[in-house]
Amino acid sequence: MLGPAGGEDWKGKDDGTRARPAGLEGVALAQALPNDWLGSGETSPRNGSYALSLGNRFDLGGAGELGVVASGTYKSGFKVEDYYQEPKAGGTRIFKYEGTRYKDRVLMGGLFNIAYRPWRNHKVSFENDYTRSAENKFIESVGLPENGDTARVQVIQWDQRDLYLGQVAGDHTFPGVGGLKFDWRYAFSNSDAEQPDRKFVTYQRDALGRYILKE
């Protein structure tokens, strides 16, 4: 049981399936939103984990040495777990919900480092590290809200995060100046987080014991 899926979910990236229709407001926007409030009953994908690493050193003759290291990882997994939420304030329970949480997660990353040593005591390097994670969650729970009778809550949520870390560095030693060492670093990074089309629905129990959409 999961929320709506896109064609690039396996990459940990929403392909626009969950995006809000552009250029619309008010009633027109509400009417254009996809009517996909129910979870999909599709068979869960097979869990898997993959990794690949490569590296080598190249002798450039009179031009020095070049070292390269690259690696990539990919992991996907589907999980079903018990869901329980009971926050308290001053020892008093605010609300309580119990149910089931379905999660489909993708984690992928890559590393690419290159180092150049033009002379024996001098080295310059360029390091890159990139990670992307995404999680498709579907939660079904029943419990007691802050006020009112027993209610059923359904949450559909997609979380997507990207993180890039980079660094350019140099290590230099000068034997002719008493072994003087000079090291320098310049680091930079970029991160992004998205949570498109989160759906939270509450169903109240009527006089016949049926759960109906809360107005």
Side-chain angles (χ1 to χ4, degrees):
M1 185 72 72
L2 287 172
E8 296 188 4
D9 284 7
W10 68 275
K11 299 179 182 179
K13 180 180 181 180
D14 179 58
D15 62 357
T17 300
R18 304 171 181 87
R20 188 180 72 174
L24 300 177
E25 297 181 359
V27 176
L29 174 59
Q31 292 175 339
L33 292 174
N35 187 18
D36 50 10
W37 295 84
L38 299 177
S40 65
E42 299 179 3
T43 303
S44 64
R46 179 175 296 180
N47 296 350
S49 180
Y50 313 91
L52 176 66
S53 299
L54 300 170
N56 206 345
R57 184 180 67 86
F58 304 93
D59 187 349
L60 306 180
E65 298 179 350
L66 183 69
V68 179
V69 175
S71 68
T73 59
Y74 181 87
K75 182 178 181 180
S76 63
F78 180 79
K79 187 177 183 180
V80 181
E81 58 189 15
D82 293 333
Y83 174 79
Y84 185 81
Q85 191 176 26
E86 187 182 8
K88 295 181 180 180
T92 302
R93 184 177 66 195
I94 302 175
F95 58 83
K96 177 182 178 180
Y97 284 100
E98 296 181 76
T100 305
R101 174 164 49 200
Y102 305 84
K103 298 194 300 184
D104 186 23
R105 190 180 188 195
V106 172
L107 177 63
M108 58 193 302
L111 178 148
F112 179 75
N113 296 339
I114 183 170
Y116 175 55
R117 189 185 299 273
W119 304 286
R120 179 179 179 182
N121 298 312
H122 299 273
K123 183 180 75 172
V124 179
S125 60
F126 180 36
E127 301 176 358
N128 300 271
D129 191 356
Y130 174 75
T131 303
R132 171 184 290 169
S133 63
E135 193 171 67
N136 191 0
K137 289 189 289 188
F138 184 92
I139 302 172
E140 287 183 313
S141 62
V142 176
L144 296 171
E146 296 181 49
N147 49 61
D149 196 3
T150 303
R152 181 167 68 89
V153 173
Q154 176 182 293
V155 180
I156 298 176
Q157 183 174 315
W158 170 272
D159 294 293
Q160 175 182 319
R161 293 178 174 83
D162 296 86
L163 175 64
Y164 168 75
L165 301 173
Q167 176 178 272
V168 179
D171 301 284
H172 310 278
T173 302
F174 302 91
V177 194
L180 175 68
K181 296 188 67 175
F182 174 65
D183 301 337
W184 55 273
R185 303 282 187 275
Y186 176 73
F188 42 94
S189 63
N190 183 60
S191 63
D192 182 58
E194 296 183 33
Q195 191 185 78
D197 197 24
R198 181 179 188 272
K199 298 182 176 71
F200 183 96
V201 188
T202 301
Y203 298 87
Q204 288 182 319
R205 191 166 59 179
D206 64 9
L208 299 177
R210 301 172 302 181
Y211 287 104
I212 60 174
L213 185 65
K214 181 179 179 180
E215 298 183 356

